[in-house]
Amino acid sequence: MLTLVIAGEAIFFLPFVLPRIFRPTMLEVFGWTNWQLGVAFSAYGVVAMLAYLPSGPLADRFPAGTMMAVALVVTAIGGLTLIGFHDAVQLPWLYGFWGVSTILLFWSALIRATRLWGGQAMPGRAFGWLDGGRGLIAALVATSSVALFAVLMPSDVESASPDEKQAALIRIIVFFAIATAFAGVWVKWVFRNPWTEVASGTQWQVADLKTVLRMPAVWCQGLVVVCA
C-alpha cells in the first residue's frame, strides 16, 4: 500500500506538483505566461479525458505493476525534456504526452491494484489510505523541494541572477524526474508477486462494456471524474 501511495503521487510530480510549487519561478525563468501554461493544462485535460475509457480495458489485460512502472519511467523521461526546450509552443504537446502516460497507462492500473489490495473486506479503507497517503506525500515533497531550492539559490535570493535561478530550477526538475523514475523501479520490484501480475482471470469483452454502461452508478462516478 505504501508503494501505491508513493506511486500515485509521484506520477504527478512533474505535470502538476512542480508548477504548483514553482510556478512564478518557471514563468520567469522559461519566459512563459500563465495563459500558455493554462493552455498546456487544457491539453492535458482533453487527452486525459479521452484516455480514461481505454485505460480500463488495458488495466484488465496487462499486469498492474508493469503498467504503473512503465508509466512512471516514461513520465520522468518526458520531464527531462524541460531541460532541453523552453518553447511554450511545445508545452501543450508535452502535457498531452503526460495525459497519455499518467491516465492511459497509469491511473486505471493504480485503481485496480488498490482494489486488489483492499479485497472484499476493506475496499473503502484501501482507497482512503491511497488518497490520504498521497496528500501526505505531496506535503512532504513540497517541503523538501522548497528546502532544496533554497539551498541551491544564493544566500541573498533577491540578488539571484536569471542564470542562477534557471540552474536551480533545472536541478529541481532533475530531482523530480529521478524521484518519478525511482518510484517506477520500486513499483516493478514490489509488484513482482503473482497476485499483482495476473489480471484475476478477467478478460474484457464488448458485452462487458454494455453491461457496465447500463449501471447508473457508473455514470454518476464518471460525472464526478469529468468534473474533477
Side-chain angles (χ1 to χ4, degrees), residues 9-100:
E9 188 60 25
I11 194 71
F12 297 113
F13 282 171
L14 288 160
F16 295 110
V17 175
L18 178 66
R20 184 188 305 154
I21 302 171
F22 298 102
R23 178 191 292 253
T25 305
M26 293 179 72
L27 298 182
E28 178 185 352
V29 168
F30 295 152
W32 301 337
T33 65
N34 275 308
W35 167 265
Q36 291 169 327
L37 190 57
V39 170
F41 289 155
S42 297
Y44 176 94
V46 171
V47 172
M49 184 172 65
L50 296 175
Y52 270 115
L53 183 59
S55 69
L58 281 176
D60 284 338
R61 286 190 176 274
F62 297 100
T66 300
M67 286 188 64
M68 288 188 292
V70 170
L72 285 158
V73 173
V74 167
T75 300
I77 294 173
L80 290 176
T81 63
L82 283 173
I83 299 173
F85 83 86
H86 306 143
D87 187 355
V89 175
Q90 296 172 293
L91 197 58
W93 292 98
L94 174 59
Y95 269 84
F97 172 81
W98 277 334
V100 172

Side-chain angles (χ1 to χ4, degrees), residues 148-166:
L148 176 60
F149 188 72
V151 170
L152 295 172
M153 291 286 282
S155 55
D156 184 6
V157 178
E158 295 297 328
S159 65
S161 67
D163 288 342
E164 289 174 326
K165 292 180 181 179
Q166 180 171 327

Side-chain angles (χ1 to χ4, degrees), residues 7 69 164 191 203 220-221:
E164 289 174 326
F191 278 68
Q203 290 297 326
C220 291
Q221 292 174 4

